[in-house]
PDB file of all heavy atoms in Angstrom:
ATOM      1  N   GLY A  40       1.994  -3.354   9.145  1.00  0.00           N
ATOM      2  CA  GLY A  40       1.065  -2.802   8.152  1.00  0.00           C
ATOM      3  C   GLY A  40       1.809  -2.140   7.000  1.00  0.00           C
ATOM      4  O   GLY A  40       1.359  -2.182   5.851  1.00  0.00           O
ATOM      5  N   THR A  41       2.967  -1.534   7.269  1.00  0.00           N
ATOM      6  CA  THR A  41       3.728  -0.877   6.202  1.00  0.00           C
ATOM      7  C   THR A  41       4.209  -1.904   5.179  1.00  0.00           C
ATOM      8  O   THR A  41       4.132  -1.670   3.967  1.00  0.00           O
ATOM      9  CB  THR A  41       4.935  -0.112   6.801  1.00  0.00           C
ATOM     10  OG1 THR A  41       4.432   0.807   7.771  1.00  0.00           O
ATOM     11  CG2 THR A  41       5.718   0.630   5.738  1.00  0.00           C
ATOM     12  N   THR A 191      -6.724  -1.840  15.992  1.00  0.00           N
ATOM     13  CA  THR A 191      -6.404  -2.890  16.976  1.00  0.00           C
ATOM     14  C   THR A 191      -5.276  -3.781  16.451  1.00  0.00           C
ATOM     15  O   THR A 191      -5.238  -4.982  16.695  1.00  0.00           O
ATOM     16  CB  THR A 191      -7.665  -3.737  17.283  1.00  0.00           C
ATOM     17  OG1 THR A 191      -8.213  -4.199  16.035  1.00  0.00           O
ATOM     18  CG2 THR A 191      -8.712  -2.939  18.029  1.00  0.00           C
ATOM     19  N   GLY A 192      -4.372  -3.183  15.672  1.00  0.00           N
ATOM     20  CA  GLY A 192      -3.190  -3.900  15.206  1.00  0.00           C
ATOM     21  C   GLY A 192      -2.079  -3.782  16.245  1.00  0.00           C
ATOM     22  O   GLY A 192      -2.294  -3.293  17.359  1.00  0.00           O
ATOM     23  N   SER A 193      -0.868  -4.208  15.873  1.00  0.00           N
ATOM     24  CA  SER A 193       0.227  -4.222  16.850  1.00  0.00           C
ATOM     25  C   SER A 193       0.543  -2.827  17.354  1.00  0.00           C
ATOM     26  O   SER A 193       0.715  -2.607  18.559  1.00  0.00           O
ATOM     27  CB  SER A 193       1.468  -4.860  16.237  1.00  0.00           C
ATOM     28  OG  SER A 193       1.794  -4.242  15.015  1.00  0.00           O
ATOM     29  N   GLU A 194       0.597  -1.843  16.442  1.00  0.00           N
ATOM     30  CA  GLU A 194       0.960  -0.493  16.901  1.00  0.00           C
ATOM     31  C   GLU A 194      -0.106   0.028  17.863  1.00  0.00           C
ATOM     32  O   GLU A 194       0.215   0.705  18.842  1.00  0.00           O
ATOM     33  CB  GLU A 194       1.122   0.467  15.719  1.00  0.00           C
ATOM     34  CG  GLU A 194       2.327   0.173  14.828  1.00  0.00           C
ATOM     35  CD  GLU A 194       3.677   0.584  15.408  1.00  0.00           C
ATOM     36  OE1 GLU A 194       3.746   1.076  16.550  1.00  0.00           O
ATOM     37  OE2 GLU A 194       4.698   0.387  14.705  1.00  0.00           O
ATOM     38  N   ASN A 213     -12.363  -0.388  17.014  1.00  0.00           N
ATOM     39  CA  ASN A 213     -12.325  -0.817  15.617  1.00  0.00           C
ATOM     40  C   ASN A 213     -13.765  -0.918  15.120  1.00  0.00           C
ATOM     41  O   ASN A 213     -14.704  -0.691  15.887  1.00  0.00           O
ATOM     42  CB  ASN A 213     -11.573  -2.156  15.480  1.00  0.00           C
ATOM     43  CG  ASN A 213     -10.958  -2.330  14.096  1.00  0.00           C
ATOM     44  OD1 ASN A 213     -11.537  -1.917  13.079  1.00  0.00           O
ATOM     45  ND2 ASN A 213      -9.781  -2.936  14.028  1.00  0.00           N
ATOM     46  N   ARG A 214     -13.905  -1.264  13.845  1.00  0.00           N
ATOM     47  CA  ARG A 214     -15.256  -1.342  13.274  1.00  0.00           C
ATOM     48  C   ARG A 214     -15.763  -2.767  13.253  1.00  0.00           C
ATOM     49  O   ARG A 214     -16.683  -3.102  12.519  1.00  0.00           O
ATOM     50  CB  ARG A 214     -15.258  -0.748  11.855  1.00  0.00           C
ATOM     51  CG  ARG A 214     -14.364  -1.537  10.897  1.00  0.00           C
ATOM     52  CD  ARG A 214     -13.731  -0.606   9.912  1.00  0.00           C
ATOM     53  NE  ARG A 214     -12.907  -1.283   8.924  1.00  0.00           N
ATOM     54  CZ  ARG A 214     -11.756  -1.937   9.175  1.00  0.00           C
ATOM     55  NH1 ARG A 214     -11.288  -2.110  10.420  1.00  0.00           N
ATOM     56  NH2 ARG A 214     -11.075  -2.445   8.182  1.00  0.00           N
ATOM     57  N   HIS A 215     -15.156  -3.633  14.025  1.00  0.00           N
ATOM     58  CA  HIS A 215     -15.619  -5.009  14.198  1.00  0.00           C
ATOM     59  C   HIS A 215     -15.187  -5.478  15.577  1.00  0.00           C
ATOM     60  O   HIS A 215     -14.315  -4.856  16.194  1.00  0.00           O
ATOM     61  CB  HIS A 215     -15.059  -5.921  13.091  1.00  0.00           C
ATOM     62  CG  HIS A 215     -13.568  -5.876  12.975  1.00  0.00           C
ATOM     63  ND1 HIS A 215     -12.722  -6.371  13.954  1.00  0.00           N
ATOM     64  CD2 HIS A 215     -12.755  -5.382  12.006  1.00  0.00           C
ATOM     65  CE1 HIS A 215     -11.470  -6.193  13.584  1.00  0.00           C
ATOM     66  NE2 HIS A 215     -11.451  -5.589  12.410  1.00  0.00           N
ATOM     67  N   TYR A 235     -16.951   0.488  17.392  1.00  0.00           N
ATOM     68  CA  TYR A 235     -17.710   1.740  17.219  1.00  0.00           C
ATOM     69  C   TYR A 235     -18.764   1.631  16.117  1.00  0.00           C
ATOM     70  O   TYR A 235     -19.719   2.405  16.091  1.00  0.00           O
ATOM     71  CB  TYR A 235     -16.768   2.929  16.963  1.00  0.00           C
ATOM     72  CG  TYR A 235     -16.079   2.909  15.618  1.00  0.00           C
ATOM     73  CD1 TYR A 235     -16.701   3.384  14.478  1.00  0.00           C
ATOM     74  CD2 TYR A 235     -14.789   2.398  15.492  1.00  0.00           C
ATOM     75  CE1 TYR A 235     -16.072   3.340  13.230  1.00  0.00           C
ATOM     76  CE2 TYR A 235     -14.156   2.348  14.266  1.00  0.00           C
ATOM     77  CZ  TYR A 235     -14.808   2.815  13.145  1.00  0.00           C
ATOM     78  OH  TYR A 235     -14.196   2.761  11.923  1.00  0.00           O
ATOM     79  N   THR A 252      -4.287   4.734  14.137  1.00  0.00           N
ATOM     80  CA  THR A 252      -3.404   3.782  13.449  1.00  0.00           C
ATOM     81  C   THR A 252      -4.096   3.198  12.220  1.00  0.00           C
ATOM     82  O   THR A 252      -3.576   2.278  11.598  1.00  0.00           O
ATOM     83  CB  THR A 252      -2.961   2.616  14.373  1.00  0.00           C
ATOM     84  OG1 THR A 252      -4.072   1.754  14.634  1.00  0.00           O
ATOM     85  CG2 THR A 252      -2.372   3.113  15.682  1.00  0.00           C
ATOM     86  N   SER A 253      -5.286   3.706  11.871  1.00  0.00           N
ATOM     87  CA  SER A 253      -6.033   3.122  10.740  1.00  0.00           C
ATOM     88  C   SER A 253      -5.685   3.767   9.406  1.00  0.00           C
ATOM     89  O   SER A 253      -5.781   3.135   8.365  1.00  0.00           O
ATOM     90  CB  SER A 253      -7.541   3.263  10.978  1.00  0.00           C
ATOM     91  OG  SER A 253      -7.966   4.598  10.754  1.00  0.00           O
ATOM     92  N   THR A 258     -12.961   7.830   9.451  1.00  0.00           N
ATOM     93  CA  THR A 258     -12.999   7.400  10.856  1.00  0.00           C
ATOM     94  C   THR A 258     -12.317   8.445  11.736  1.00  0.00           C
ATOM     95  O   THR A 258     -12.830   8.827  12.783  1.00  0.00           O
ATOM     96  CB  THR A 258     -12.297   6.033  11.006  1.00  0.00           C
ATOM     97  OG1 THR A 258     -12.876   5.136  10.060  1.00  0.00           O
ATOM     98  CG2 THR A 258     -12.431   5.487  12.398  1.00  0.00           C
ATOM     99  N   PHE A 275      -0.959   8.633  12.764  1.00  0.00           N
ATOM    100  CA  PHE A 275       0.172   7.711  12.681  1.00  0.00           C
ATOM    101  C   PHE A 275      -0.019   6.709  11.542  1.00  0.00           C
ATOM    102  O   PHE A 275       0.915   6.389  10.816  1.00  0.00           O
ATOM    103  CB  PHE A 275       0.315   6.974  14.021  1.00  0.00           C
ATOM    104  CG  PHE A 275       1.439   6.001  14.059  1.00  0.00           C
ATOM    105  CD1 PHE A 275       2.726   6.421  14.341  1.00  0.00           C
ATOM    106  CD2 PHE A 275       1.221   4.656  13.794  1.00  0.00           C
ATOM    107  CE1 PHE A 275       3.788   5.517  14.344  1.00  0.00           C
ATOM    108  CE2 PHE A 275       2.267   3.749  13.800  1.00  0.00           C
ATOM    109  CZ  PHE A 275       3.551   4.179  14.083  1.00  0.00           C
ATOM    110  N   GLY A 276      -1.228   6.205  11.367  1.00  0.00           N
ATOM    111  CA  GLY A 276      -1.503   5.203  10.324  1.00  0.00           C
ATOM    112  C   GLY A 276      -1.486   5.839   8.939  1.00  0.00           C
ATOM    113  O   GLY A 276      -1.772   7.029   8.788  1.00  0.00           O
ATOM    114  N   THR A 277      -1.150   5.041   7.934  1.00  0.00           N
ATOM    115  CA  THR A 277      -1.127   5.539   6.544  1.00  0.00           C
ATOM    116  C   THR A 277      -1.829   4.519   5.660  1.00  0.00           C
ATOM    117  O   THR A 277      -1.631   3.314   5.816  1.00  0.00           O
ATOM    118  CB  THR A 277       0.324   5.705   6.042  1.00  0.00           C
ATOM    119  OG1 THR A 277       1.038   4.486   6.307  1.00  0.00           O
ATOM    120  CG2 THR A 277       1.041   6.856   6.711  1.00  0.00           C
ATOM    121  N   SER A 304       3.185  11.925  12.984  1.00  0.00           N
ATOM    122  CA  SER A 304       4.454  11.496  13.569  1.00  0.00           C
ATOM    123  C   SER A 304       4.969  10.271  12.831  1.00  0.00           C
ATOM    124  O   SER A 304       4.217   9.332  12.563  1.00  0.00           O
ATOM    125  CB  SER A 304       4.287  11.163  15.054  1.00  0.00           C
ATOM    126  OG  SER A 304       5.531  10.768  15.603  1.00  0.00           O
ATOM    127  N   VAL A 305       6.235  10.309  12.495  1.00  0.00           N
ATOM    128  CA  VAL A 305       6.840   9.183  11.794  1.00  0.00           C
ATOM    129  C   VAL A 305       8.159   8.801  12.457  1.00  0.00           C
ATOM    130  O   VAL A 305       8.885   9.664  12.959  1.00  0.00           O
ATOM    131  CB  VAL A 305       7.051   9.515  10.289  1.00  0.00           C
ATOM    132  CG1 VAL A 305       8.123  10.576  10.084  1.00  0.00           C
ATOM    133  CG2 VAL A 305       7.378   8.265   9.485  1.00  0.00           C
ATOM    134  N   ASP A 306       8.382   7.492  12.516  1.00  0.00           N
ATOM    135  CA  ASP A 306       9.674   6.941  12.917  1.00  0.00           C
ATOM    136  C   ASP A 306      10.094   7.398  14.313  1.00  0.00           C
ATOM    137  O   ASP A 306       9.282   7.872  15.110  1.00  0.00           O
ATOM    138  CB  ASP A 306      10.720   7.309  11.842  1.00  0.00           C
ATOM    139  CG  ASP A 306      11.969   6.470  11.926  1.00  0.00           C
ATOM    140  OD1 ASP A 306      11.861   5.239  11.821  1.00  0.00           O
ATOM    141  OD2 ASP A 306      13.061   7.046  12.097  1.00  0.00           O
ATOM    142  N   LYS A 349      -3.605 -10.834   5.861  1.00  0.00           N
ATOM    143  CA  LYS A 349      -3.331 -10.764   7.291  1.00  0.00           C
ATOM    144  C   LYS A 349      -4.212 -11.773   8.025  1.00  0.00           C
ATOM    145  O   LYS A 349      -5.436 -11.757   7.838  1.00  0.00           O
ATOM    146  CB  LYS A 349      -3.666  -9.339   7.732  1.00  0.00           C
ATOM    147  CG  LYS A 349      -3.524  -9.032   9.175  1.00  0.00           C
ATOM    148  CD  LYS A 349      -3.721  -7.537   9.364  1.00  0.00           C
ATOM    149  CE  LYS A 349      -4.153  -7.208  10.754  1.00  0.00           C
ATOM    150  NZ  LYS A 349      -4.269  -5.771  10.964  1.00  0.00           N
TER     151      LYS A 349
HETATM  152  P1  LIG B 401      -2.111  -2.961  11.130  1.00  0.00           P
HETATM  153  O1  LIG B 401      -1.885  -4.181  11.949  1.00  0.00           O
HETATM  154  O2  LIG B 401      -2.573  -3.107   9.732  1.00  0.00           O
HETATM  155  O3  LIG B 401      -3.103  -2.023  11.947  1.00  0.00           O
HETATM  156  C1  LIG B 401      -4.024  -1.161  11.373  1.00  0.00           C
HETATM  157  C2  LIG B 401      -5.262  -1.252  12.233  1.00  0.00           C
HETATM  158  O4  LIG B 401      -6.203  -0.281  11.804  1.00  0.00           O
HETATM  159  C3  LIG B 401      -5.918  -2.622  12.113  1.00  0.00           C
HETATM  160  O5  LIG B 401      -6.289  -3.061  13.391  1.00  0.00           O
HETATM  161  C4  LIG B 401      -7.152  -2.331  11.262  1.00  0.00           C
HETATM  162  O6  LIG B 401      -8.219  -3.191  11.527  1.00  0.00           O
HETATM  163  C5  LIG B 401      -7.474  -0.928  11.759  1.00  0.00           C
HETATM  164  N1  LIG B 401      -8.373  -0.214  10.889  1.00  0.00           N
HETATM  165  C6  LIG B 401      -8.329  -0.092   9.546  1.00  0.00           C
HETATM  166  N2  LIG B 401      -9.369   0.666   9.134  1.00  0.00           N
HETATM  167  C7  LIG B 401     -10.053   1.010  10.239  1.00  0.00           C
HETATM  168  C8  LIG B 401     -11.210   1.774  10.484  1.00  0.00           C
HETATM  169  N3  LIG B 401     -11.881   2.345   9.497  1.00  0.00           N
HETATM  170  N4  LIG B 401     -11.631   1.917  11.763  1.00  0.00           N
HETATM  171  C9  LIG B 401     -10.956   1.350  12.779  1.00  0.00           C
HETATM  172  N5  LIG B 401      -9.844   0.615  12.619  1.00  0.00           N
HETATM  173  C10 LIG B 401      -9.418   0.448  11.364  1.00  0.00           C
HETATM  174  O7  LIG B 401      -0.798  -2.090  11.067  1.00  0.00           O
HETATM  175  P2  LIG B 401       0.254  -1.712  12.212  1.00  0.00           P
HETATM  176  O8  LIG B 401       1.502  -2.438  11.954  1.00  0.00           O
HETATM  177  O9  LIG B 401      -0.365  -1.791  13.555  1.00  0.00           O
HETATM  178  O10 LIG B 401       0.522  -0.188  11.800  1.00  0.00           O
HETATM  179  C11 LIG B 401      -0.538   0.739  11.909  1.00  0.00           C
HETATM  180  C12 LIG B 401      -0.467   1.773  10.824  1.00  0.00           C
HETATM  181  O11 LIG B 401       0.643   2.619  11.059  1.00  0.00           O
HETATM  182  C13 LIG B 401      -0.290   1.252   9.399  1.00  0.00           C
HETATM  183  O12 LIG B 401      -1.033   2.092   8.540  1.00  0.00           O
HETATM  184  C14 LIG B 401       1.190   1.432   9.128  1.00  0.00           C
HETATM  185  O13 LIG B 401       1.464   1.597   7.753  1.00  0.00           O
HETATM  186  C15 LIG B 401       1.444   2.703   9.894  1.00  0.00           C
HETATM  187  N6  LIG B 401       2.812   2.879  10.389  1.00  0.00           N
HETATM  188  C16 LIG B 401       3.214   4.152  10.580  1.00  0.00           C
HETATM  189  C17 LIG B 401       4.462   4.391  11.098  1.00  0.00           C
HETATM  190  C18 LIG B 401       4.894   5.799  11.359  1.00  0.00           C
HETATM  191  O14 LIG B 401       6.079   6.011  11.675  1.00  0.00           O
HETATM  192  N7  LIG B 401       3.997   6.778  11.267  1.00  0.00           N
HETATM  193  C19 LIG B 401       5.303   3.327  11.435  1.00  0.00           C
HETATM  194  C20 LIG B 401       4.839   2.025  11.275  1.00  0.00           C
HETATM  195  C21 LIG B 401       3.575   1.811  10.769  1.00  0.00           C
HETATM  196  P3  LIG B 401      -8.425  -4.633  10.858  1.00  0.00           P
HETATM  197  O15 LIG B 401      -7.212  -4.941  10.041  1.00  0.00           O
HETATM  198  O16 LIG B 401      -8.617  -5.517  12.028  1.00  0.00           O
HETATM  199  O17 LIG B 401      -9.633  -4.464  10.023  1.00  0.00           O
END
Side-chain angles (χ1 to χ4, degrees):
T41 304
T191 53
S193 53
E194 292 285 2
N213 206 324
R214 63 214 183 293
H215 55 68
Y235 70 83
T252 71
S253 75
T258 307
F275 180 84
T277 50
S304 181
V305 69
D306 197 59
K349 177 172 156 177

